Amino acid sequence: MAFTIFGIHAFHGMRNDIKKRLPYYIADWTIDAWNYRIIPATVYMYFANVLPAIAFALDMFSKTENSYGVNEVLLASVLGAILFSVFAGQPLCIVGVTGPISVFNYTVYEIITPRGTPYFAFMCWICLWSMVMHFAIAITNGVNGLRYITRFSCDIFGFYVAFIYLQKGIQVLTRQFGRSDIEAFISIMVALLVLIFGYICHIIGDDSTLFWRPVRRFLADYGTPLVVIFFTGFIHIGKLRNYDIQTLPTGASFRPTASGTPARPHGWLIHFWNGISVGDVFLAIPFAVLLTILFYFDHNVSSLICQGKEFPLKKPGAFHWDFFLLGVSTGIAGILGIPAPNGLIPQAPFHTISLCVVNHEKTEDDGENGNKPSKPLIEGVIEQRVSNFVHGLLILGTMSGPLLIVLGLVPQAVLAGLFWIMGLCALEGNGIVLKMYYLCKDRTLTSANEPLRRVKLRSIYLFVAIELIAFGATFAVTQTIAAVGFPAILLLFAAFATVLPRIFEKDELNVLDEATASELTMASVTGKANVRGTRSGMSSVVDVVDSDVESPRSREEIELPEWYWRQNGTFDEGTIEGAETNRRRRVSKPY
């Protein structure tokens, strides 16, 4: 279904997303889901999603006078996981409660409640207006603006989120003071031990040469969850059990935190048509605009990063349809009186990383003459829906009475340590950190294949300085009452990126500010025939996705880059397999 309104091809993007992604749907649940990598990915995502969400619930609980609690954020995470695993075009993107939405929620509370406006009814109208805006943007192909979101914007936002996680860990520990000094000291030590052991597991499992390979893989898959479980029990044994270490607060199973109070007299359903004036209904519109801007940037950037160029994905993205679906979840969240879920950073890229299939026999050529150890080659990603779906079911089970009791045994100090682990891991792969690391390296020991060597040092310094200033401005705004306008700052990222070509040379920007995702992924917003080339070992693989061309058989019919023909010679049509059935063509030739 598509028609033209004022020159806009309505529903065009959503139609193409569904058309290109639907052929993979059954395989997402069956053939492609039959892999061991799903188990560790599910377990890791459960802990990485639930525990940080509870920390955000603690913030909202204290700053909204007990309006939000653990059950609200758990249900929001369940809503995001189930809805996006079943209906989304890109199920790899983990959806849940983020730091920015928690800031938005309690900032709205601080602004609205002094006016006597019922908070939950007002938030519901914000979500409903935002849902309409999501629909309008998706239907009119407004998500095409995502093509202008490059590494510049993604790295700044990723850097900001990583620091929020580090800050949140410190804030959790500050709550331990004011009681017994020895209990505060124990909490600090537990948080540091969680950080040390969890990060050691990450380092060993990432690219270490220690231990036997299955041991390294086990530590990479289950190290962090096991550390959380161990230190949860650690404070309940020996003399430590004599001290009152603060644990996570929980409520009644499957019930809202404020159930039965004047704020929520009807349980989960918000009667948004009662007790709110017409003026307040329309006052919710500017807040809805800010929420829509936040989700446009936050969710789409999360989806972009989890589909980054470093991951050899074989299935196309679906940004228009997913943004429409995000509008559905936002409206449902408003009616249920829970925080609206959206894409999570760093959980979304961590999910993709946990699903990577790594070939330790082959390595990437990261250096020459042994200057730097080569990394194992990522051969593929298990692209499916089961891990996201099952982790949502586990979170739903956590809302039951027995599991809420178990959750209430987790020390807040363990949560602080987990925040630090996730923050440091997110910083490791951030473009800003990698550029600063390069600037600190000995030039004589830097690989000749390092792309940054082709950029003048003063350009790198200037680019990093601009990114850090943008991060500082964002971080500063979110620490004030003006945090509700934080989404507007995000728009400036993309807008300023259009000015960068006037400051830097084109060749420099190709290195400093490259595209975040491959052309295969970006097909949803560019509308072009897409080619993705990967170089590994002695072969070159090019995937071509174009639903409009049924069976190309010549060089002219496929828009392949010139470098491919220079390296690989003439096109060998004999290597095309299954083009008519799944509309994907794989070409492989030695060079």
Side-chain angles (χ1 to χ4, degrees), residues 21 27-28 31-33 35 37-38 41 90-93 305-315 348-359 377-385 387 521 532 543 584 586:
R21 207 57 170 82
D28 285 343
I31 300 175
D32 293 344
N35 191 285
R37 297 300 318 152
I38 292 175
Q90 183 45 270
L92 293 179
C93 185
I305 295 178
C306 78
Q307 301 175 79
K309 297 174 73 172
E310 62 271 27
F311 305 120
L313 302 179
K314 304 298 182 183
K315 298 177 182 180
F350 285 174
H351 183 221
T352 307
I353 292 171
S354 65
L355 290 168
C356 287
V357 177
V358 180
N359 187 336
L377 177 67
I378 298 177
E379 288 196 329
V381 178
I382 309 303
E383 301 178 56
Q384 39 70 50
R385 300 174 182 271
S387 58
T521 299
R532 181 181 57 78
D543 287 341
R584 297 173 55 82
R586 168 166 290 186

Side-chain angles (χ1 to χ4, degrees), residues 262-313:
R264 299 196 70 149
H266 305 289
W268 286 113
L269 183 63
I270 302 299
H271 287 197
F272 56 90
W273 56 88
N274 288 334
I276 187 168
S277 66
V278 176
D280 286 337
V281 170
F282 286 94
L283 181 61
I285 293 178
F287 291 94
V289 171
L290 293 174
L291 180 61
T292 304
I293 295 173
L294 171 62
F295 280 7
Y296 184 94
F297 194 92
D298 195 356
H299 180 81
N300 286 322
V301 167
S302 301
S303 186
L304 272 176
I305 295 178
C306 78
Q307 301 175 79
K309 297 174 73 172
E310 62 271 27
F311 305 120
L313 302 179

Side-chain angles (χ1 to χ4, degrees), residues 51 67 71 90 93 134 176 238 241 306-307 334 358 384 386 475 537 549 560 568:
L51 296 182
S67 297
N71 281 345
Q90 183 45 270
C93 185
H134 277 72
Q176 315 308 310
R241 63 185 174 186
C306 78
Q307 301 175 79
V358 180
Q384 39 70 50
V386 175
F475 190 83
V549 181
L560 292 174
N568 298 283

Side-chain angles (χ1 to χ4, degrees), residues 95-354:
V95 177
V97 178
T98 65
I101 190 60
S102 66
V103 172
F104 181 86
N105 283 351
Y106 63 68
T107 304
V108 171
Y109 184 88
E110 294 169 357
I111 295 173
I112 289 300
T113 50
R115 301 180 70 255
T117 303
Y119 176 67
F120 282 111
F122 188 77
M123 281 301 304
C124 183
W125 277 107
I126 291 177
C127 291
L128 291 176
W129 283 119
S130 182
M131 176 183 70
V132 174
M133 296 173 191
H134 277 72
F135 290 170
I137 291 173
I139 291 171
T140 59
N141 313 313
V143 187
N144 282 341
L146 196 61
R147 72 181 74 179
Y148 302 109
I149 303 296
T150 58
R151 283 286 180 187
F152 175 78
S153 303
C154 293
D155 285 344
I156 295 172
F157 188 66
F159 197 77
Y160 162 77
V161 172
F163 262 82
I164 287 295
Y165 271 72
L166 297 177
Q167 180 197 40
K168 193 63 64 178
I170 296 173
Q171 289 177 346
V172 169
L173 285 182
T174 57
R175 298 193 185 103
Q176 315 308 310
F177 292 92
R179 305 171 67 191
S180 168
D181 290 341
I182 185 64
E183 291 170 355
F185 174 77
I186 292 173
S187 296
I188 293 173
M189 294 308 300
V190 169
L192 290 175
L193 287 171
V194 171
L195 169 64
I196 291 170
F197 283 97
Y199 198 65
I200 286 175
C201 290
H202 166 73
I203 293 174
I204 293 176
D206 188 18
D207 54 5
S208 170
T209 57
L210 293 175
F211 307 121
W212 192 30
R213 185 184 303 160
V215 175
R216 296 198 303 269
R217 189 70 262 181
F218 179 83
L219 291 176
D221 292 340
Y222 302 105
T224 301
L226 288 176
V227 167
V228 170
I229 293 172
F230 175 81
F231 282 100
T232 295
F234 181 72
I235 68 162
H236 297 286
I237 59 176
K239 293 184 178 181
L240 287 178
R241 63 185 174 186
N242 297 326
Y243 296 96
D244 183 20
I245 308 300
Q246 290 191 49
T247 58
L248 299 180
T250 56
S253 59
F254 298 107
R255 292 181 60 188
T257 302
S259 179
T261 65
R264 299 196 70 149
H266 305 289
W268 286 113
L269 183 63
I270 302 299
H271 287 197
F272 56 90
W273 56 88
N274 288 334
I276 187 168
S277 66
V278 176
D280 286 337
V281 170
F282 286 94
L283 181 61
I285 293 178
F287 291 94
V289 171
L290 293 174
L291 180 61
T292 304
I293 295 173
L294 171 62
F295 280 7
Y296 184 94
F297 194 92
D298 195 356
H299 180 81
N300 286 322
V301 167
S302 301
S303 186
L304 272 176
I305 295 178
C306 78
Q307 301 175 79
K309 297 174 73 172
E310 62 271 27
F311 305 120
L313 302 179
K314 304 298 182 183
K315 298 177 182 180
F319 294 99
H320 299 278
W321 170 250
D322 285 358
F323 197 69
F324 180 88
L325 194 62
L326 187 65
V328 174
S329 66
T330 301
I332 295 175
I335 295 174
L336 294 177
I338 60 178
N342 71 295
L344 294 174
I345 297 177
Q347 288 91 330
F350 285 174
H351 183 221
T352 307
I353 292 171
S354 65

